[in-house]
Amino acid sequence: MIRKIAIILITISALVSCTKDFDKINVNPNSSPQVPLNYLLSQSLLYIGGSAGDPGYATWRANLIYALPTTQMFSSLSTFYAGDKYLYQADLSEAYFVTQYPNSVKGLVDIINQAKADPKNVNIQSIARILKVLQMSLITDLYGDVPYSEAGLGYLNLNYSPKYDAQKDIYADMLKELTEAGTALSAPATNPGIADFVYGGDVAKWKKFANSLMLRLAMRMQKVDAAGAQSWAKKALDGGVMTSNAETFSIKYANDGGTSTINSNSYNLGEADVPGHRNEVSKGSIQWSKRLIDLMKARNDPRISTIAILKSGDATAAAQKGLPSGLDAGTLTALTGETGPDNYSRPNPIMYYAKNPYILLPYAEVEFLKAEAIERGWYTGSAATEYAAGQAAAITQLSVNQGAPSLTGSVAAYQAANLYPATTLADKLLQIHTEMWVLNASTLNGFEGWANWRRTGLPVLTPTNYPGNATGGTIMRRLIYPVSEAGLNVNYKLAVAAQGADLFTTRMWWDK
Amino acid sequence: MLLMRNKLLFACLFAVLISTFSFAQDINVNGRVTDEKGAGIAGATVLVKATKKATVTNDNGDFTISARNGAVITVSYVGYLSRDYTVNGATLNASLVSQSKDLNEVVVTALGIKKEKKALGYAISEIKGDELTQARSVNIANSLVGKVAGLNVTSTATGPGGASRITIRGNASFKGNQPLIVIDGIPFDNTNQGNTVGTWGGSDQGDGMSSLNPDEIESVSVLKGGTAAALYGSRGSNGVILVTTKGGSKSSKMPLIEVGSNFVIEDILNKKLNDYQYEYGTGDKGTGLVGIKPTSADPNLNQTNSWGAKLDGSSVIQYDGVSRPYSAAKNNFKKFYDIGTTFTNSFAVSGGSDKIAYRFSMSDLNSKGIVPNNTLVRDNVAININASLSKRFTVLVNGKYIREKNKNRPRVSDSPGSANYTLWTLPTSLDVETLKASKYNADGSEKVWSNNQYVQNPYFATEDYKEEDTRDRFIGVVEPRFNITDWLYVKGRAGFDKYNRHETDITPTGTGYQLGGGYNTSLRDFRESNLDLMLGFDKKLTNSFSVNAVVGGNRMKQITLLDGYSGGPFNIPFFYDISNVSTPNRGTQSNYYEKRINSAYGTADISYKNLIFLNLTGRNDWFSTLAKGHNSLFYPSAGLSFILSDAFQMPSYVNYAKLRGSWAKTGGDTDPYQLLLTYSLTGATQTVPLAQVGTNQVPNSLLQPYENTSSEIGLEARMFNNRLNLDFAVYKRKTVNDIVGASISPTSGYNQALFNVGEINNKGVELLLGYKVGNSKNFGWEPSFNFGYNKSNVVKIYQDLKQLFIEEPRPRVSAIYQVVNAPFAQILGNGFKRDAKTGEVVFNAQGLPLTEGLKSFGSGISPWTMGFTNTFKYKQFGLSFLVDAKFGGYIYSGTNALALRYGLSKATLPGRETGVVGKGVTETGTPNTVVVAAQTYYSNMYNFAEPFVYSSDFVKFRQLIIDYTVPAGVLGKSFVKAATISIVGRNLWTILKYTPIIDPESGYSNTNAQGQEFAGLPVTRTIGVNLNLKF
């Protein structure tokens, strides 16, 4: 009897005591504890371009729905395209914020952290730092004060509610980062090579990009901190900026692995060769604005036939007609008698091929900013020369798009028709920033287009006043934070208290 | 196949029934049932065991029943010991002994151990199988609504194959709150299959309970307190629902054949949207305040909005280019939704001998949903054998096979592919039949009917979209028991739960928002095994003391495999196979999850003089999912039962009284692979592999088991000749160190973090009151009322975190949160800014309300739940009905938000022609006078949650059952032993509700995100007929 009981008890304890292999059981066989940093860098680049994850989610909302229409580059009759009507829709306004932090920012923070352990990773670390500045500048220029110094550290520092840094501090640190990372880049050290979809591992180009981005950030501070802007602009230009379109910062796509390998603007706008596309152009949701088409026509801009086309397929410059901003179908009919968008210019398919590079900082912009810096007396040189170089670069830049005609032959005529004025600073700035405005529209770079317009106010745009708009009929100055942030981040309230009410109309630090 | 066989069999048996009326010789037996003092007992049941014929004594205790000579008759009455008599001639007098001294009702408790109810120190409620078979809900969980105090069952508005949400005594965890389901001793996976419905829509893929066949169920025990469930360790921390299936009986020599047939029709409760306006039609307002009609087929004009002109019957062009009268389309719901039908046939044979008892059953359920093309077929087969292989050795073998096939599960919540979303938002002047007629473009693609290509033509969504899932499930248990001596035994149990689920989803070529179409197929392979070995001791030590103890061990292993392919667009249009998607556009997944829990447990029941019962349990779990040093947890529990009516002299009207108390600690672990950060590979482009951090949830290597402590005190009593039955309980539950994947700010780089958080308290009371008003031969009436109140309070979350995000519905202006110092599942959303002094809404210069950010609107879970059942009996007729109610909860109705945004609801009528002046003040405090176009004003409300949060209180006439038992006299000479026919109605009448447009029980989620609703399936009523025959 006792023996029987003992045997049973021993069997029971054998059943439960074997926990030795628990460590092995709890290892996830489907994901790796470590991967080469190059893989992470490539993925981060796709996230910055907005294509990885839900392709085009953030780009669609932040760039195509808000930035481009509010800056009167695009127009739409649909109230969903809230930008030219200054309508607030929470999920549209918050999209860029809620998408980029958990994707590109997290990835870049992780690369920077991992790379610092080994000096031979200096280039990938520096590239990640520069990219993080680019990504964070896009975020802060849309929203103002945002989490920066504590962002993306959920795992590394267990920080679940990052504080919101003042934009002033963010800019200071971004400029510092660009300086340090740009200096640290080392040609002899290993580089990410083909994993770098921007420059293919060309360290010299990355250095120039770091300085060019520094120039952009410096000039952004012009209204609020002229002295700082001056010294940083000089530093950037002294350090060496982009010198040709071959150095333009653009993310290259191959359309060879599903939707994340497609330009995200193309994904939203296009059809043709884009699988699962959103088809927004052919549905008639997006037109070029009257302001842009009228202006380009008046300036005999040769780019017009490359960027615009009518539904009928007519891309001739003379036939193009822009859609007035801030209308819906009803108000359009009342104003013009037109019953829909079909007779207005829409983006030409050249603008949205899947493999088009995603441009975030073109060489031409550097030339225009340099011209402004010279004009303000912050740098030496000929503003007119830089201006002309910018015009040429902006026009020829478009040839990177699939199927785009070469416009090299049209450059001289355009420059002749739009000479740099010899008059007042205001006139010169108007010319420079009108060129910038067209440049940003024609490269679908709404982020920079909107930011640069907010700093300069050029060209002058007439606000719309659509019923129910959230700005009282003034052009939006920022996007509104995610609704959920109020519940998730204890620092949200402090940010609103510091920056001002969480509205479209509140101006951020550099926009005061 | 099974269906056909079943139908054939049924048809044959039915034919036999009609043609036979001659057989053995019964005699009429007359007699009287008396108590110890010789007084007649009214309402006692007299049952002929072999034939199951029964009758009830009259007011004097007299009865007449027909039986054969030598038949065994059981006489029973509540509060008295049942007694068997053998018929010997035409007279039979029976006398019963009151059992108030020895109330030995036996219930099934943890680990399948049967115990006398009076010995339990905790609350347990049992529901008999026939209550479930009669109530006939496709998911039996829904049949539990309103039946048990403290049990909160929430059905979802997601169709017949959808899941339900069950909680016992409130919500104690930030994570899962559903109880463990145990079937014949084997834990049964009740998790949601596939994706649950969330912010972005989807379809509910059902859970485990939805697979069970009610005909197989003998009883359902609800183990409420921690003590009741403590023996299940971590998995019992939310209580346990024990399902015991039917077995054979060793005493019935002749096989008993049961045949049941059931037909239920289902129809939407509100066919007309009475809260919708039918004065203005499709279109937008023009330049001024007044709406205009569409002037072309341009989708920008023919849109989802009903802000157009006054409906005047004039000819107006529609999206398909055809002009039709501009008039109200009031019957879209009626026209679109079908009448659902469910046809169930079941067959069972059971019997036994001295050595063996067996039962074999099969059933076939064939259901058509109210959404066109939505079908469900479910076949259940079960076999149950209990064999005595020798004097000391018995084996129980129990196997179940379930096959389910669902087609086109309805999509709900957000729009893509959801016919329900379209129906809720269809403009008031667009007839759904127009959409039926104009579904395709010339190339076979969807003719998009509005400016929002994400809102599908509902016929395209239900006819061209294809969804199909099949699940094969096998549950088996082998339970050998060897009696070493008459007081010592060893018992083993090997149980398996295994299923394969295969799902294919096709987004067809030409879908508005995804012209290329898409394909998605996934395979889920789940298996769980449980091995138990127990040593049991059961002995009376002295006359006063007896001990019943068990020690045992358990090893649980759970493996889930998830494989899938997805991709799009299709290379060849309209050909739907993964091979038709080019390789770069294919996604693949293959995931493997494994977890183990090892446990040692013991339980001891000690009783003293049948007066005081002490129950002690202890269990230790070791988890593979937690880090070493943190992965072991011990759960003790104690329960005490004290029979007051035996210990003290009680007033004569008290027949029985028991006081009970218990205390327990439980806890648990989490999912596998949550401890370390890993990277996942996401593909390649430009010959470069891509990789990223593999999770959106911050992992945590220091996770500890969470702990849940509960206690209860209860009183059970029977009074007034056992007519009044009372069970009252007060309980407390507290959870600490809960393991939660909590939403965190995305700026942290992650959307969730996993940590041991917080503290949740639940306190509550439960009451069950039953009374036998009459119980004579021809008439019986038993009203029964159950009531539960649970107060939950989130005490702490994490460090200084004050609120925890759970989930948001699609408008994304409200969400469900856990908030410190507030009840579980708070609805937080955008509220109006209000004037500090007057409380009036503050308007901006444009005449639109200003927001004040997130405001709390109350809990999405009703703290008050109650049910009132009445059972009547008149001769051969029975009637019972259930009224149930929930109070104190709130719901954010996204459907109402849509109805206002699109100009659908009646609330959008004021100011259509003249504009709206919002009632309130400006920022300076002066009255708001700005006139805003109605469309602008009302559609702007979509940005607020405040106007759309309603009380979710309801009172419903839930269920009505009328049954008729064919009198024994009629069946007398046939071989049919019993025949019952019943009519069942469910959800017949909503007596009280406060939610316009929607039903308060319209939530789409069975997660903790309770209190939100968005374009669900309309709530339905069902009416059915049951026929049950025994041979």
Side-chain angles (χ1 to χ4, degrees):
Chain A
M1 169 73 71
I2 301 292
R3 233 183 97 210
K4 275 183 188 166
I5 295 173
I7 289 168
I8 292 158
L9 290 175
I10 287 164
T11 318
I12 290 174
S13 60
L15 192 69
V16 303
S17 62
C18 183
T19 58
K20 277 180 211 135
D21 55 347
F22 271 17
D23 281 351
K24 272 187 206 156
I25 290 172
N26 205 32
V27 169
N28 187 344
N30 309 118
S31 73
S32 167
Q34 209 154 20
V35 291
L37 295 182
N38 281 358
Y39 297 10
L40 298 172
L41 182 77
S42 299
Q43 179 78 73
S44 295
L45 279 166
L46 297 184
Y47 273 130
I48 291 176
S51 54
D54 178 354
Y57 181 87
T59 304
W60 189 18
R61 286 158 177 79
N63 192 38
L64 305 179
I65 290 177
Y66 274 121
L68 286 163
T70 202
T71 322
Q72 296 183 13
M73 296 168 175
F74 277 168
S75 290
S76 176
L77 293 180
S78 162
T79 49
F80 185 67
Y81 280 80
D84 66 343
K85 306 177 187 67
Y86 324 134
L87 298 173
Y88 171 58
Q89 192 178 322
D91 55 343
L92 304 182
S93 176
E94 73 186 31
Y96 199 76
F97 191 102
V98 299
T99 307
Q100 298 309 95
Y101 277 109
N103 292 321
S104 49
V105 174
K106 171 167 70 175
L108 293 166
V109 166
D110 189 53
I111 295 169
I112 294 165
N113 177 61
Q114 286 198 58
K116 72 183 172 206
D118 188 343
K120 81 172 190 291
N121 287 330
V122 61
N123 281 333
I124 196 165
Q125 186 194 5
S126 303
I127 288 170
R129 286 170 78 181
I130 295 166
L131 286 173
K132 189 182 160 222
V133 171
L134 172 67
Q135 178 60 80
M136 286 307 310
S137 72
L138 293 173
I139 296 174
T140 186
D141 288 351
L142 285 176
Y143 296 93
D145 294 356
V146 289
Y148 173 81
S149 58
E150 296 179 353
L153 292 168
Y155 177 69
L156 297 170
N157 287 1
L158 299 182
N159 190 331
Y160 304 145
S161 305
K163 71 169 191 202
Y164 282 62
D165 293 289
Q167 192 176 51
K168 182 182 178 204
D169 301 334
I170 296 173
Y171 263 73
D173 194 75
M174 288 196 298
L175 291 162
K176 183 215 78 177
E177 281 290 292
L178 289 174
T179 311
E180 287 181 9
T183 312
L185 282 166
S186 154
T190 23
N191 71 60
I194 54 167
D196 167 7
F197 300 149
V198 182
Y199 295 125
D202 187 332
V203 167
K205 284 183 178 167
W206 276 103
K207 266 189 203 278
K208 288 184 180 176
F209 170 61
N211 289 323
S212 304
L213 182 55
M214 188 187 291
L215 176 64
R216 175 195 276 182
L217 300 184
M219 297 308 288
R220 191 90 82 227
M221 305 194 298
Q222 169 262 324
K223 270 200 288 188
V224 69
D225 177 10
Q230 176 176 359
S231 74
W232 280 107
K234 182 171 186 312
K235 188 171 173 180
L237 289 164
D238 285 343
V241 291
M242 294 171 189
T243 52
S244 77
N245 278 344
E247 289 165 354
T248 282
F249 183 95
S250 65
I251 300 165
K252 314 295 190 293
Y253 288 98
N255 187 20
D256 59 353
T259 49
S260 65
T261 65
I262 294 168
N263 179 317
S264 64
N265 283 326
S266 302
Y267 178 86
N268 287 300
L269 299 176
E271 39 190 0
D273 62 336
V274 186
H277 54 86
R278 282 218 164 84
N279 206 12
E280 291 298 295
V281 172
S282 69
K283 271 170 20 205
S285 301
I286 290 177
Q287 280 68 42
W288 289 111
S289 76
K290 180 173 171 15
R291 182 77 173 95
L292 181 77
I293 296 294
D294 288 355
L295 184 139
M296 287 177 84
K297 277 169 123 173
R299 292 165 75 89
N300 284 325
D301 196 315
R303 286 169 284 187
I304 196 162
S305 296
T306 305
I307 69 162
I309 196 166
L310 290 173
K311 191 182 185 185
S312 63
D314 185 350
T316 55
Q320 301 311 311
K321 188 164 90 165
L323 178 70
S325 293
L327 300 180
D328 60 25
T331 43
L332 176 75
T333 309
L335 193 71
T336 66
E338 292 276 0
T339 56
D342 289 354
N343 296 329
Y344 294 94
S345 298
R346 49 180 60 189
N348 189 311
I350 294 168
M351 300 300 290
Y352 51 81
Y353 280 104
K355 289 187 196 174
N356 284 354
Y358 190 88
I359 296 172
L360 279 166
L361 204 169
Y363 156 63
E365 177 184 334
V366 172
E367 288 296 348
F368 292 129
L369 292 179
K370 191 174 176 185
E372 182 186 344
I374 293 167
E375 216 49 83
R376 289 189 185 278
W378 296 352
Y379 205 68
T380 52
S382 158
T385 308
E386 308 297 346
Y387 173 78
Q391 286 178 313
I395 288 168
T396 53
Q397 178 72 63
L398 286 188
S399 67
V400 296
N401 290 336
Q402 188 183 330
S406 167
L407 298 177
T408 316
S410 318
V411 169
Y414 178 72
Q415 285 169 325
N418 299 283
L419 286 171
Y420 193 61
T423 49
T424 62
L425 177 64
D427 284 345
K428 290 170 177 172
L429 289 178
L430 174 62
Q431 282 312 308
I432 290 171
H433 289 290
T434 301
E435 285 291 349
M436 277 281 268
W437 188 67
V438 177
L439 167 69
N440 288 320
S442 64
T443 51
L444 301 179
N445 192 0
F447 298 116
E448 183 55 27
W450 187 20
N452 195 62
W453 181 85
R454 278 176 284 161
R455 172 173 73 89
T456 62
L458 300 172
V460 174
L461 303 175
T462 310
T464 64
N465 199 5
Y466 189 79
N469 74 74
T471 64
T474 65
I475 292 176
M476 298 163 55
R477 308 306 294 200
R478 65 184 281 274
L479 292 180
I480 291 171
Y481 295 127
V483 172
S484 59
E485 198 57 9
L488 295 176
N489 195 336
V490 289
N491 297 303
Y492 165 84
K493 275 195 178 133
L494 301 174
V496 174
Q499 178 169 268
D502 190 8
L503 299 171
F504 283 154
T505 47
T506 301
R507 289 178 180 234
M508 54 189 67
W509 168 72
W510 55 250
D511 190 24
K512 299 281 184 201
Chain B
M1 184 64 207
L2 189 60
L3 167 72
M4 219 170 79
R5 216 162 51 200
N6 222 335
K7 273 184 181 160
L8 263 175
L9 185 67
F10 177 71
C12 290
L13 290 170
F14 198 76
V16 171
L17 162 74
I18 292 166
S19 61
T20 357
F21 269 103
S22 63
F23 260 97
Q25 211 54 35
D26 280 3
I27 53 167
N28 273 344
V29 180
N30 296 308
R32 189 166 197 216
V33 180
T34 54
D35 64 14
E36 299 103 312
K37 291 161 195 161
I41 299 177
T45 306
V46 179
L47 170 86
V48 183
K49 258 196 172 171
T51 63
K52 307 279 178 203
K53 253 179 266 176
T55 185
V56 173
T57 55
N58 66 13
D59 289 347
N60 300 323
D62 295 330
F63 70 92
T64 304
I65 194 161
S66 72
R68 293 173 213 178
N69 245 337
V72 176
I73 284 184
T74 305
V75 182
S76 58
Y77 185 61
V78 176
Y80 289 78
L81 288 172
S82 300
R83 238 175 120 170
D84 287 356
Y85 291 88
T86 307
V87 177
N88 185 12
T91 311
L92 198 157
N93 284 322
S95 87
L96 294 183
V97 178
S98 163
Q99 64 171 189
S100 61
K101 298 278 178 210
D102 188 11
L103 190 87
N104 60 351
E105 191 187 343
V106 169
V107 288
V108 181
T109 69
L111 300 178
I113 300 168
K114 286 182 179 161
K115 290 183 180 176
E116 286 178 63
K117 196 173 179 187
K118 72 171 182 183
L120 301 178
Y122 48 80
I124 185 164
S125 298
E126 204 168 71
I127 298 158
K128 294 294 174 205
D130 54 2
E131 293 187 44
L132 306 175
T133 42
Q134 286 191 318
R136 277 297 158 194
S137 182
V138 174
N139 186 343
I140 63 160
N142 295 335
S143 309
L144 302 174
V145 170
K147 294 240 163 84
V148 176
L151 187 74
N152 194 343
V153 181
T154 311
S155 57
T156 52
T158 56
S164 59
R165 182 172 198 268
I166 309 171
T167 56
I168 298 174
R169 292 188 170 171
N171 293 270
S173 170
F174 290 124
K175 211 176 161 218
N177 278 299
Q178 297 221 53
L180 175 69
I181 311 293
V182 176
I183 298 182
D184 294 331
I186 301 305
F188 177 77
D189 182 45
N190 190 36
T191 50
N192 274 78
Q193 301 297 308
N195 299 324
T196 52
V197 182
T199 310
W200 304 98
S203 57
D204 187 330
Q205 305 294 318
D207 53 17
M209 289 289 269
S210 59
S211 301
L212 297 181
N213 170 16
D215 293 298
E216 277 169 31
I217 293 168
E218 172 78 34
S219 69
V220 174
S221 286
V222 180
L223 308 188
K224 291 195 243 180
T227 313
L231 266 186
Y232 287 103
S234 57
R235 306 176 84 192
S237 55
N238 293 316
V240 178
I241 293 187
L242 289 183
V243 178
T244 308
T245 62
K246 287 176 182 164
S249 156
K250 283 182 182 169
S251 61
S252 67
K253 301 270 192 283
M254 283 281 287
L256 175 71
I257 294 170
E258 293 162 77
V259 175
S261 194
N262 167 276
F263 181 70
V264 176
I265 58 170
E266 183 179 20
D267 197 7
I268 52 176
L269 202 56
N270 300 308
K271 290 191 180 165
K272 287 200 175 169
L273 294 168
N274 292 325
D275 297 313
Y276 277 23
Q277 61 86 13
Y278 294 98
E279 291 181 40
Y280 296 86
T282 307
D284 273 320
K285 69 171 176 54
T287 42
L289 301 173
V290 187
I292 53 174
K293 304 169 196 173
T295 47
S296 79
D298 187 314
N300 283 307
L301 302 172
N302 258 294
Q303 46 178 274
T304 42
N305 287 343
S306 295
W307 295 111
K310 208 158 194 151
L311 292 169
D312 54 7
S314 62
S315 185
V316 162
I317 192 164
Q318 295 195 312
Y319 74 99
D320 56 354
V322 178
S323 291
R324 296 185 181 84
Y326 195 58
S327 54
K330 292 186 183 178
N331 294 316
N332 284 338
F333 267 55
K334 197 175 163 188
K335 284 175 180 170
F336 179 75
Y337 289 106
D338 290 341
I339 289 186
T341 55
T342 303
F343 192 39
T344 315
N345 287 294
S346 63
F347 165 79
V349 55
S350 60
S353 68
D354 297 339
K355 295 268 162 64
I356 196 162
Y358 64 89
R359 187 176 196 273
F360 170 79
S361 71
M362 51 201 251
S363 79
D364 172 75
L365 176 146
N366 214 315
S367 180
K368 280 197 184 100
I370 59 165
V371 175
N373 296 319
N374 169 223
T375 59
L376 163 67
V377 176
R378 185 176 75 203
D379 293 323
N380 296 56
V381 179
I383 185 154
N384 191 331
I385 296 168
N386 190 352
S388 305
L389 299 179
S390 76
K391 255 187 189 167
R392 290 186 170 185
F393 188 47
T394 57
V395 177
L396 190 140
V397 181
N398 198 328
K400 271 181 242 314
Y401 171 72
I402 306 164
R403 183 177 171 80
E404 276 172 280
K405 187 168 190 163
N406 267 282
K407 281 190 181 173
N408 303 317
R409 290 176 184 266
R411 297 194 191 195
V412 295
S413 178
D414 195 27
S415 51
S418 167
N420 296 300
Y421 181 96
T422 312
L423 263 287
W424 285 113
T425 57
L426 220 48
T428 48
S429 60
L430 180 57
D431 193 313
V432 76
E433 279 174 353
T434 303
L435 291 160
K436 192 174 198 173
S438 289
K439 189 171 80 163
Y440 296 120
N441 292 313
D443 63 356
S445 62
E446 180 190 4
K447 188 182 274 297
V448 176
W449 64 273
S450 76
N451 60 339
N452 187 346
Q453 82 270 29
Y454 290 91
V455 182
Q456 262 53 66
N457 179 315
Y459 292 98
F460 194 83
T462 53
E463 288 165 6
D464 294 68
Y465 278 63
K466 297 275 181 264
E467 189 269 351
E468 188 174 307
D469 58 272
T470 54
R471 180 159 57 161
D472 289 281
R473 186 167 197 163
F474 176 73
I475 312 162
V477 58
V478 179
E479 198 177 289
R481 175 181 164 134
F482 183 75
N483 294 327
I484 301 169
T485 68
D486 59 353
W487 51 267
L488 189 69
Y489 65 90
V490 58
K491 186 160 125 177
R493 182 187 286 141
F496 307 92
D497 176 9
K498 176 171 167 49
Y499 62 80
N500 270 302
R501 183 176 189 281
H502 183 247
E503 183 186 349
T504 304
D505 253 304
I506 293 162
T507 305
T509 301
T511 299
Y513 72 95
Q514 198 179 331
L515 292 175
Y519 184 91
N520 195 331
T521 180
S522 64
L523 189 66
R524 172 189 286 241
D525 181 26
F526 173 91
R527 49 188 192 266
E528 178 176 319
S529 63
N530 278 278
L531 297 175
D532 276 282
L533 188 63
M534 290 172 244
L535 180 68
F537 173 98
D538 189 356
K539 195 172 187 185
K540 214 166 193 181
L541 296 177
T542 70
N543 274 343
S544 305
F545 272 106
S546 66
V547 173
N548 180 349
V550 174
V551 291
N554 171 276
R555 187 162 178 172
M556 194 283 290
K557 185 173 178 178
Q558 198 184 71
I559 292 172
T560 309
L561 271 161
L562 284 172
D563 288 338
Y565 285 101
S566 57
F570 296 109
N571 294 328
I572 306 168
F574 304 105
F575 171 57
Y576 304 128
D577 188 79
I578 193 70
S579 65
N580 189 25
V581 175
S582 40
T583 325
N585 296 319
R586 284 184 210 172
T588 55
Q589 64 151 348
S590 179
N591 290 304
Y592 175 91
Y593 304 93
E594 178 177 346
K595 77 184 267 187
R596 284 241 299 269
I597 302 177
N598 289 356
S599 318
Y601 53 80
T603 168
D605 295 343
I606 302 156
S607 69
Y608 174 69
K609 284 188 169 172
N610 255 343
L611 199 68
I612 297 176
F613 302 85
L614 177 66
N615 176 245
L616 298 171
T617 72
R619 176 168 173 138
N620 203 96
D621 283 350
W622 290 269
F623 307 102
S624 72
T625 55
L626 302 175
K628 252 192 187 132
H630 302 284
N631 67 348
S632 162
L633 191 63
F634 178 68
Y635 323 102
S637 90
L640 193 70
S641 163
F642 182 41
I643 312 299
L644 294 173
S645 50
D646 290 355
F648 306 106
Q649 188 63 43
M650 289 269 161
S652 60
Y653 57 83
V654 177
N655 307 93
Y656 170 76
K658 166 184 139 181
L659 191 65
R660 59 170 199 256
S662 67
W663 175 89
K665 197 174 106 177
T666 58
D669 66 336
T670 181
D671 301 326
Y673 320 140
Q674 308 281 310
L675 308 182
L676 296 168
L677 188 76
T678 55
Y679 297 90
S680 57
L681 296 161
T682 56
T685 178
Q686 300 170 51
T687 71
V688 181
L690 303 167
Q692 62 185 18
V693 173
T695 168
N696 268 327
Q697 177 169 282
V698 186
N700 183 343
S701 58
L702 299 173
L703 284 182
Q704 297 178 20
Y706 68 89
E707 291 181 20
N708 179 318
T709 317
S710 62
S711 54
E712 76 166 283
I713 294 174
L715 176 74
E716 289 163 41
R718 293 210 162 91
M719 288 179 268
F720 310 114
N721 285 329
N722 290 305
R723 278 176 186 270
L724 181 73
N725 175 15
L726 174 142
D727 189 336
F728 177 75
V730 184
Y731 63 84
K732 227 162 90 172
R733 296 173 77 190
K734 174 173 161 179
T735 306
V736 295
N737 274 341
D738 207 354
I739 301 173
V740 178
S743 288
I744 56 174
S745 169
T747 60
S748 66
Y750 296 81
N751 293 313
Q752 288 201 313
L754 192 68
F755 34 46
N756 282 111
V757 293
E759 182 180 333
I760 305 175
N761 284 341
N762 279 274
K763 285 178 200 168
V765 291
E766 287 161 12
L767 175 69
L768 173 75
L769 260 183
Y771 195 75
K772 290 190 172 71
V773 177
N775 199 346
S776 68
K777 184 181 172 186
N778 286 332
F779 175 74
W781 176 23
E782 292 181 23
S784 166
F785 176 70
N786 72 70
F787 158 88
Y789 171 73
N790 182 82
K791 186 184 175 198
S792 64
N793 187 35
V794 174
V795 180
K796 196 180 149 202
I797 297 175
Y798 178 77
Q799 293 175 352
D800 52 359
L801 202 59
K802 290 281 174 266
Q803 53 199 32
L804 192 67
F805 175 91
I806 306 175
E807 197 187 280
E808 61 189 349
R810 181 63 181 88
R812 306 190 88 174
V813 293
S814 78
I816 306 301
Y817 285 85
Q818 307 299 359
V819 179
V820 168
N821 283 325
F824 201 85
Q826 291 288 309
I827 303 166
L828 260 63
N830 257 354
F832 296 127
K833 183 175 184 175
R834 288 183 185 273
D835 188 89
K837 279 179 209 158
T838 60
E840 285 192 278
V841 178
V842 181
F843 287 79
N844 65 15
Q846 309 255 300
L848 299 174
L850 287 162
T851 173
E852 204 169 61
L854 289 183
K855 267 190 198 174
S856 181
F857 299 107
S859 168
I861 294 172
S862 303
W864 306 82
T865 55
M866 58 204 74
F868 184 47
T869 309
N870 275 277
T871 311
F872 296 92
K873 185 181 64 187
Y874 179 69
K875 291 187 177 166
Q876 301 299 123
F877 288 95
L879 182 151
S880 82
F881 67 85
L882 166 67
V883 175
D884 78 315
K886 290 186 187 180
F887 293 107
Y890 295 87
I891 187 166
Y892 165 79
S893 170
T895 307
N896 272 284
L898 285 174
L900 209 66
R901 181 189 196 182
Y902 294 131
L904 294 166
S905 53
K906 278 184 180 157
T908 65
L909 287 177
R912 281 269 180 155
E913 319 255 331
T914 54
V916 181
V917 180
K919 193 178 176 306
V921 293
T922 64
E923 284 179 274
T924 54
T926 56
N928 172 47
T929 53
V930 183
V931 180
V932 187
Q935 176 175 5
T936 308
Y937 185 83
Y938 294 118
S939 57
N940 177 65
M941 287 297 172
Y942 191 69
N943 286 322
F944 293 90
E946 190 162 347
F948 310 112
V949 179
Y950 305 95
S951 159
S952 62
D953 293 356
F954 69 81
V955 179
K956 287 189 178 182
F957 192 80
R958 179 73 64 182
Q959 178 178 302
L960 174 70
I961 301 173
I962 299 168
D963 61 71
Y964 175 72
T965 307
V966 180
V970 174
L971 295 173
K973 285 166 188 167
S974 76
F975 71 89
V976 176
K977 290 168 184 159
T980 312
I981 185 161
S982 58
I983 299 170
V984 182
R986 285 181 61 80
N987 288 344
L988 296 176
W989 178 29
T990 304
I991 300 167
L992 174 84
K993 70 158 189 163
Y994 297 107
T995 49
I997 301 173
I998 58 140
D999 185 273
E1001 292 184 293
S1002 295
Y1004 54 74
S1005 172
N1006 76 340
T1007 66
N1008 282 341
Q1010 294 295 301
Q1012 53 185 24
E1013 172 277 338
F1014 193 73
L1017 205 62
V1019 169
T1020 57
R1021 89 164 42 109
T1022 58
I1023 293 170
V1025 183
N1026 285 309
L1027 176 67
N1028 288 295
L1029 300 174
K1030 288 181 184 176
F1031 303 95

